[in-house]
Amino acid sequence: MPPDQQRFREVMGRLACGVAVVTAEGPDGPAGLTTTAITSVSLEPLLLLACLDRGSRTLPALEAAGRFAVSLLREGQDDVARVFASKRPMPEKFAAALHHPEDGVPVIDGALAWLTCDVRELLPGGDHVIAIGAVTALDADPEGRPLLYFRGEFTGLHFGA
């Protein structure tokens, strides 16, 4: 008998992941969501991937725009992660989190790092869509620590005893 979804979530919850907000500027304004499913794909060319739930309200904005941004959140931005993980209307999400345009895409203020991308491919991935983006601009704060998600909770990076 194959493992069930809940057990899969429990097991995968043992993998500490960085927390990001994916944003796009759609025809109805900015849209965004919180995700931990972000990774680099290639250095030549510079590619990254982001996984978005097929039912997300951000996916149609990303598809229409053909561009998106990834804001890698820092410790202490738990509130931003929660807002973008919520089902609030998009204008409320963006009113609750300071943001600014970078390379024509909304980026979360105070993020540890950000990248903007042109959509290269949208691939099926079960109940998600895998967006592969060609990086067009990026920046990072040389200081600070990432916000992590581990065992269903936001946490920080802790060194030593």
Side-chain angles (χ1 to χ4, degrees):
M1 180 175 217
D4 66 21
Q5 290 179 358
Q6 184 57 39
R7 183 65 180 145
F8 181 72
R9 289 178 82 124
E10 289 169 8
V11 169
M12 290 306 297
R14 292 341 189 239
L15 176 64
C17 298
V19 181
V21 172
V22 172
T23 53
E25 186 65 47
D28 297 325
L33 57 77
T34 299
T35 186
T36 58
I38 300 286
T39 194
S40 61
V41 173
S42 169
L43 290 175
E44 185 57 44
L46 296 177
L47 299 176
L48 66 75
L49 71 76
C51 297
L52 293 84
D53 187 296
R54 286 188 181 280
S56 85
R57 295 169 293 156
T58 302
L59 182 56
L62 183 149
E63 290 171 325
R67 309 198 71 238
F68 64 98
V70 175
S71 298
L72 305 176
L73 300 184
R74 71 173 59 241
E75 263 184 342
Q77 287 188 307
D78 314 33
D79 55 338
V80 174
R82 284 186 185 86
V83 164
F84 280 91
S86 75
K87 297 296 183 190
R88 290 185 190 186
M90 289 300 172
E92 284 184 28
K93 287 183 179 188
F94 283 89
L98 297 176
H99 60 285
H100 64 281
E102 288 287 352
D103 198 26
V105 189
V107 168
I108 303 300
D109 287 357
L112 187 59
W114 59 264
L115 307 96
T116 59
C117 301
D118 288 335
V119 173
R120 174 68 73 82
E121 289 184 77
L122 296 173
L123 304 169
D127 59 3
H128 280 63
V129 170
I130 302 163
I132 297 181
V135 177
T136 57
L138 53 86
D139 199 11
D141 185 337
E143 302 295 323
R145 295 181 181 209
L147 179 63
L148 300 177
Y149 193 71
F150 180 68
R151 291 188 173 178
E153 295 182 13
F154 295 113
T155 187
L157 189 62
H158 305 285
F159 296 107

